[in-house]
Amino acid sequence: MKNKFKKNGVGYLIAITLLLLSSSFTKLANRPSNEKIIKDYYTAYEKKDWNMLAPLLADGFTFTSPNDDHIDLKAYKERCWPNSANIKRFDIDKLIVKGDDAFVTYNGWTNDGRVFRNTEYFKFKDGKILENACFFGPGISFPNNKEK
């Protein structure tokens, strides 16, 4: 009887483990890729849709730029999101994703035809953007900048 229990006990343990693992793998398999999340991030700006952007951002999200030092989500929405009103589109030049790290270089176009070129570093956690660090390149730096 002991051997039968050990056999069945191990079998049940294996079955439960496989069930739990398959559930985790299913969640991971159904999660959008980090590349898609980045593209959706820029699409939200183009569409001026905060409700599209917010679910992409992880709890504890921070944003850094030459004008901002690890600001939280509330400050990001107040200071950076208004730029979406002046954005026409983004043309991604380079997109490199390695695990939970990504770099993007793009040309952004304002509604009045001005261009800005930036590179951004993204850090992901559990399928969401945890950090975004923006490095301004040539051009107007950011869409609401009044300098020409």
Side-chain angles (χ1 to χ4, degrees):
M1 189 73 163
K2 270 186 172 178
N3 285 341
K4 196 173 191 183
F5 177 74
K6 282 184 182 178
K7 252 187 193 177
N8 289 338
V10 171
Y12 291 133
L13 181 61
I14 290 171
I16 290 169
T17 302
L18 290 174
L19 184 63
L20 291 172
L21 286 175
S22 69
S23 174
S24 296
F25 288 133
T26 300
K27 286 178 187 173
L28 288 173
N30 291 332
R31 188 166 75 186
S33 70
N34 290 342
E35 181 175 337
K36 177 160 180 9
I37 293 168
I38 289 171
K39 289 178 179 179
D40 289 348
Y41 176 92
Y42 294 115
T43 298
Y45 266 88
E46 291 172 347
K47 292 183 175 187
K48 292 118 183 81
D49 187 348
W50 178 258
N51 293 324
M52 181 180 182
L53 181 70
L56 304 175
L57 307 177
D59 290 337
F61 170 82
T62 62
F63 178 80
T64 300
S65 77
N67 298 330
D68 309 285
D69 185 13
H70 293 89
I71 61 174
D72 66 10
L73 183 59
K74 182 177 184 268
Y76 174 77
K77 186 177 182 184
E78 291 170 2
R79 294 174 66 172
C80 302
W81 181 248
N83 285 307
S84 68
N86 291 323
I87 290 176
K88 182 176 182 179
R89 76 174 193 273
F90 288 97
D91 295 329
I92 295 175
D93 185 31
K94 298 277 188 240
L95 174 55
I96 301 167
V97 179
K98 185 173 182 185
D100 283 338
D101 297 291
F103 283 94
V104 182
T105 299
Y106 59 81
N107 288 321
W109 297 89
T110 62
N111 294 330
D112 62 359
R114 295 182 297 156
V115 66
F116 57 102
R117 183 173 176 83
N118 296 337
T119 294
E120 298 190 25
Y121 163 73
F122 290 88
K123 178 74 176 168
F124 292 87
K125 181 180 179 188
D126 299 328
K128 293 189 175 198
I129 300 168
L130 180 62
E131 298 175 26
N132 178 358
C134 182
F135 304 91
F136 297 160
I140 62 169
S141 300
F142 55 94
N144 286 348
N145 189 351
K146 300 300 180 202
E147 297 175 22
K148 297 263 178 183

